[in-house]
Amino acid sequence: MPLPRLSTPARVRRALAPPRRALPASSPPLGFASATPAPAPRIAVAVAAPLRAVVSAEQRDLGMEAGEQGRPLRVGLVCGGPSAERGVSLNSARSVLDHIQGEDLVVTCYYIDSGMNAFAISPAQLYSNTPSDFDFKLESLAQGFHSLSDFAEHLATNVDIVFPVIHGKFGEDGGIQELLEKAKVPFVGTPSKECQHAFDKHSASLELDTQGFLTVPNFLVEKDKLAKPELEAWFQTVNLSKENGKVIVKPTRAGSSIGVVVAYGVNDAAQKAEEIISEGIDDKVIIEVFLEGGTEFTAIVVDVGIANNSEPVVLLPTEVELQRSSSSDTKEDTIFNYRRKYLPSQQVAYHTPPRFPAEVIDCIRQGISLLFRRLGLHDFARIDGWFLPSPVSSLPSAENSEKFGNTKYGSVLFTDINLISGMEQTSFLFQQASAVGFSHSRILRTVIQHACSRFPSLVPCNNAWTALSRKLKSSKQAEAIHKGTSKQKVFVIFGGDTSERQVSLMSGTNVWLNLQGFDDLDVTPCLLAPANGYFSSHDQDFSVISREVWTLPYSLVLRHTTEEVYAACVEASEPERVEVTSHLREQVMNGLWPALSKHDWFAGFDIAYEEPVKYSLQQWINHVKESGAVVFIAVHGGIGEDGTIQTLLESAGVPYTGPGPIASRTCMNKVATSLAVEHLTSYGVRTIPKDVRATEEVLKSSLVDIWNELIAKLQTETVCVKPARDGCSTGVARLCCPKDLEVYTNALRSKFQRLPANCLSRAHGVIEMPVPPPESLIFEPFIETDEIIISNKLENGSARHLVWKGENDWLEITVGVVGKRGEMHSLNPSITVKESGDILSLEEKFQGGTGINLTPPPATIMSDDALQRCKRSIEIMANSLGLEGFSRIDAFVNVRSGEVLLIEVNTVPGMTPSTVLIHQALAEEPPVYPHKFFRTLLDLAFERTK
């Protein structure tokens, strides 16, 4: 039976209420009004009794008759799942929530864990940075259902339509679809039977072959059924050497390139197939011919037909270009793996549309449209494939001449069908949709509305939603006309040329997407880049005058690296490329518009085509001033954080976010920061002893002598080394012996971009290195903190809890400060339970890598008195440094006394979707959601000019 609905306390309703998309520019900074706020709600350390109602009363009150005029649509967002892709699923769900939630559409969130248990969760919990973080808090913050059938009954009563955002098993294999079908719950996407056939790569390959498409020859390996003689015979059939023939080995039912590896020869292929099975990734594996010389592509297809009359339109496909790295394994360079899909990597670049002949692109789009229809897919999907410009011996032309995919320029093959495409901020769905006029919100809402139109019972509901959307839009337009106000221009600048530029791109993209949802703002993303681009020598001139700024159209922002954004800008300025892209865009839009315009709910395209514009840095500042704009600075390190940009903007009278030039310059220099607060000892603020050395001198000197000097001066056995002026964990490492110092200095001398994991004597992750090397290095005692671990869940059902010895009283924290100069407010500090290593890597900090964030530190570890003393010390420090707007302070805290030991101050902290600042804002009372948090920072920029 369904779980009973219990009344929700007012405090919990506020904490779990979904965000609103638009607030007036004059709104005061909600959630940060007091410098000494009441303590925010804590995260339980041992699991408390689960909350029995996660859906707020306000949302339940919206459960009216479907035909009622102006009723919001109720969407159930379901994420998670049992596959290794659940981390991507959480990111996708968070992105979907950000872009569809509004006054006319109410989202309730649900999660399926790895054990196939269903939970109702709060929107706030989706901002957890990792699956581990999410799962730990799940036990105390979510409402569990007794069974999946109870969950389905709940959905049938409480939502109008379900949007499954589960990648891989249970999400794309027909599992959740079958559950919803049995409960007669409408949902977005393809029915269960069609999912089962399309998701299994082997079944899909057989179906493609039956339907007359070219396919990649493959061999199926099932658990405990590997017959090596048959595999040898297959190698011979496809003209591959049994000793070293190159193949791809991959699970038949997994996505995100998880488990996909390259193998050479029969023995290697058999071994890797068995490893995939033994690791539990899948019990069926296919071995495919490696398409040497081919180029991978991917394309989104959306259905724009009426009711169940399918009318698929394929958007602009994307070419995936893999670029070899001279310093890495060449075998690893040959596949588009998980890391290259989801983390910044200079070894991959995307081109939308592909740089293929027009006939090939037409073939791709036509083929995907046919596949969509013949496989019975619904609403939207993503289909991947390969273009082979030259014949492959395993695809004999005589046998395949009549197959679909043959062109005079080469062969087109379709390989993977993704029923629930990734929906992270920069995913292919949004890259391709934005290229033909859809914003994130508009494409997602179009998919949802189309799904609604397929269910007769939802037609009145969809009409009510459409009526409400129009009413709200008209009301806002009338209000704007009445007030005679125009939109406030905002420029978000990110990028730069430091090793932190990829995090900066992620931060800037996140800020831009959150702010562009406000009706009263006109937000332009901007890339700060070296004048000669990112592809010239590392020794180029990095002076202020050598930098340029590109104002970017919507679609060009959605890339993984600054290099890729820059290349897209250059490419978009080439007349030939512009002509090709324009023609293809028009072709796609001409396919979309006639069909979509037949639907009453379609609100039109909302992204206009624009070309990027290049300015010198000074020209850009002049342009910003003439526009009467405010600048949101998201450039980490370099001139974004050392006071340079702040000085230029201040001289021009342009308001900007964050601290001013003096505070920025001071905090950029870790030694100067320590000197600036050393007089605050009586206020509970201490600093770490430092030894500063010129990098050039370190590289020339005897490393054994340097090590002995450091040990003696700093009175420590292990040393923490870091660049004097870089942040985001760039170049930060723990050194335990002279050999570690040698490895580190060799990396600087050789200008390595990163240190591989575990190359030092203590276990650690990948360490991003500053390139070019910093002018000086800081050596500090490595502060030992007690390890915090998460206990395993016991068989008797006891909840997981924190295990902490508490022997030395020190913990590492990070804490955001927000407010006006002299009135800075400390958010609740966060501690991170690391999963490996002594120092958080760049990925662990910003890319949803590993670790569990606890905000604030649990009461069993740090008392409330110590917490409040810590926050007061942080505020005193922030005000003494002259901080304003917002910053992030990293420190060690004594859990008994609340005394703070300063590590560093970041005046342009990370603002990625998984940053701890988001967690801390959500821990405020009431919680401050990301869009409101960034709006608050923008409003503070205006305040400084008054």
Side-chain angles (χ1 to χ4, degrees), residues 612-673:
V613 180
K614 182 173 71 172
Y615 301 87
S616 69
L617 179 56
Q618 189 58 57
Q619 287 172 338
W620 177 77
I621 289 173
N622 293 339
H623 173 59
V624 172
K625 182 178 181 180
E626 291 168 5
S627 303
V630 61
V631 173
F632 199 116
I633 300 174
V635 179
H636 303 313
I639 68 169
E641 220 165 335
D642 67 3
T644 300
I645 285 182
Q646 292 81 357
T647 298
L648 293 170
L649 292 172
E650 205 154 281
S651 298
V654 174
Y656 57 90
T657 56
I662 296 174
S664 297
R665 191 158 46 247
T666 300
C667 294
M668 184 69 166
N669 187 317
K670 297 177 179 68
V671 176
T673 310

Side-chain angles (χ1 to χ4, degrees), residues 151 185 304 320 326 350 388 420 440 514 591 673 745 773 807 934:
F151 171 52
V185 179
V304 295
V320 179
S326 58
Y350 305 121
L388 300 170
I420 300 177
H440 286 61
N514 273 278
T673 310
T745 53
E807 293 178 349
F934 294 128

Side-chain angles (χ1 to χ4, degrees), residues 576-588:
E576 226 176 278
R577 181 66 173 165
V578 170
E579 186 178 347
V580 169
T581 303
S582 178
H583 171 72
L584 290 170
R585 180 186 298 107
E586 187 176 344
Q587 197 176 73
V588 174

Side-chain angles (χ1 to χ4, degrees), residues 210-222:
T210 301
Q211 294 285 350
F213 289 87
L214 281 176
T215 57
V216 184
N218 63 67
F219 183 88
L220 177 66
V221 177
E222 297 185 78

Side-chain angles (χ1 to χ4, degrees), residues 420-434:
I420 300 177
S421 176
M423 286 168 272
E424 295 179 299
Q425 287 183 342
T426 58
S427 69
F428 293 122
L429 172 65
F430 301 126
Q431 286 183 31
Q432 295 179 20
S434 64

Side-chain angles (χ1 to χ4, degrees), residues 490-493 511 515 620 629-635 640-641 643 645-647 649-650 654-661 664 819 824 883-887 907-909 911 933-945:
V490 179
F491 288 90
V492 180
I493 187 168
V511 170
L515 290 180
W620 177 77
V630 61
V631 173
F632 199 116
I633 300 174
V635 179
E641 220 165 335
I645 285 182
Q646 292 81 357
T647 298
L649 292 172
E650 205 154 281
V654 174
Y656 57 90
T657 56
S664 297
M824 297 299 284
L883 302 181
E884 56 187 310
F886 75 119
S887 294
T907 54
V908 183
M911 291 165 279
F933 177 65
F934 294 128
R935 180 58 187 261
T936 297
L937 305 183
L938 195 65
D939 291 342
L940 285 167
F942 285 110
E943 289 291 323
R944 76 194 305 155
T945 63

Side-chain angles (χ1 to χ4, degrees), residues 159 181 190 258 274 295 300 383 445 617 667 676 736 764 861 885 910:
V159 305
E181 286 164 355
T190 298
I258 290 172
E274 290 179 331
T295 302
I300 298 292
I383 296 177
R445 283 169 165 244
L617 179 56
C667 294
C736 299
H764 63 87
I861 292 178

